[in-house]
DNA sequence: ATACCAATTGAGATATAGTATCAACAGGGT
DNA sequence: ACCCTGTTGATACTATATCTCAATTGGTAT
């Protein structure tokens, strides 16, 4: 009856899942992090709080949260582990520099209309979206202009 | 001098990279696949053509193509190897069902204006984007309505 | 054509990430 | 307090990606 649940915990329960200690701990770890956190980092944070929580449960929880569109795995660089971002209001947007891997997040996306159209057209029920742009950040764009080939200036 | 290069091979070369046998083979494997192909599947296809090409080169090439916005890794469901998609005109868009992992791709995104605005606002140079929506596909949305908890009908 | 050199490669050992199994446990409804 | 089912944790296992470095090769200059 006590209703001191975080909004995301409530969504978990409303979807018919138990609010277990492991799940709530993973969720807290994600919320405490600044976003773009890997599974290993989640695992590390979780085990700082309670080292008895197993790896498998962390991965299972990440899967579960993803299936509920509470988080979303995204790729930053290198063919490795995804980093997870929260989808605060169902969406997340960022720019990734493909040269230095800098990430710039931004809030407004103007996708509301597109979302509505798409639901009607594909007959789907949307719960979230991720929009990512890639290219060169201001600094890297400038450096690329100067350097025909090899001038990796260590900044 | 012979100019029978695919557009993507040309982009590789124009960016200052050598057109090696390994790279061209990986590129061909990606182009031959229908998209949403994992690193292991690329490796498999590549080795069917030439089994002397090493794993490391395949991964290296996937990273390189990603940094050039020629391909982009995306996650279908969490805790999994990414699947790579080509970015034909710099962009790719799809819907992912978070229940059955069905993917529906679509072409139009209406992001041109947003892209222009963003370049000016963040002072970046954009080379591509990925837009993904999540939710329930028509079938899964219908099933979810009927089943309060456990009715995994094997279709 | 030949020679040259830096970029790139392949092999395979190593490191890292994620999954399977299953007995024990605990959330939440009664 | 009791029960039932979803969930868990330990561990062994599999899959995936990276590192290292001598050998090779693409591209260019001669
Ligand atoms: Zn940059
Ligand atoms: Zn949005
Ligand atoms: Zn579905
Ligand atoms: Zn687009």
């Amino acid at each position: 009856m006590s209703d001191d649940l975080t909004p995301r915990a409530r969504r978990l329960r409303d979807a018919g899942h138990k609010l277990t200690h492991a799940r709530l701990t993973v969720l807290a770890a994600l919320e405490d992090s600044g976003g773009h956190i890997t599974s290993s980092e989640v695992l590390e944070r979780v085990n700082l709080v309670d080292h008895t929580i197993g790896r498998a449960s962390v991965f299972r929880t990440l899967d579960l949260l993803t299936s509920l569109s509470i988080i979303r795995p995204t790729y930053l660089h290198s063919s490795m582990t995804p980093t997870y971002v929260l989808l605060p209001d169902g969406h997340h947007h960022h720019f990734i520099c493909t040269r230095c891997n800098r990430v710039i997040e931004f809030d407004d996306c103007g996708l509301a209309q597109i979302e509505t159209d798409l639901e009607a057209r594909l007959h789907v029920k949307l719960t979230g979206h991720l929009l990512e742009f890639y290219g060169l950040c201001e600094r890297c764009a400038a450096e690329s202009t100067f350097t025909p080939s090899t001038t990796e200036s260590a900044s």
Side-chain angles (χ1 to χ4, degrees), chain A residues 1-118:
Chain A
M1 304 305 164
S2 68
D3 242 344
D4 54 349
L5 293 179
T6 68
R8 283 183 256 259
R10 182 182 309 281
R11 284 176 62 189
L12 249 187
R13 196 187 50 182
D14 290 350
H17 303 283
K18 290 183 178 177
L19 295 182
T20 67
H21 176 56
R23 284 173 178 166
L24 294 175
T25 306
V26 169
L27 198 45
L30 286 163
E31 290 179 337
D32 289 348
S33 82
H36 286 291
I37 183 175
T38 66
S39 56
S40 301
E41 289 164 346
V42 172
L43 191 54
E44 204 174 320
R45 278 171 180 268
V46 164
N47 282 340
L48 279 179
V49 176
D50 182 346
H51 73 279
T52 70
I53 294 175
R55 294 181 232 306
S57 290
V58 170
F59 283 105
R60 284 187 287 236
T61 302
L62 290 173
D63 281 349
L64 179 60
L65 295 176
T66 298
S67 75
L68 294 174
S69 292
I70 290 174
I71 61 173
R72 186 69 202 172
T74 70
Y75 167 103
L76 284 193
H77 64 282
S78 97
S79 12
M80 265 290 282
T81 309
T83 62
Y84 293 87
V85 294
L86 288 164
L87 306 180
D89 299 301
H91 53 174
H92 181 93
H93 326 90
H94 57 220
F95 161 84
I96 302 173
C97 177
T98 54
R99 190 160 178 275
C100 71
N101 300 312
R102 180 196 317 271
V103 174
I104 304 177
E105 310 200 348
F106 56 94
D107 290 332
D108 47 317
C109 65
L111 286 177
Q113 186 58 49
I114 292 172
E115 208 160 30
T116 305
D117 293 349
L118 205 68

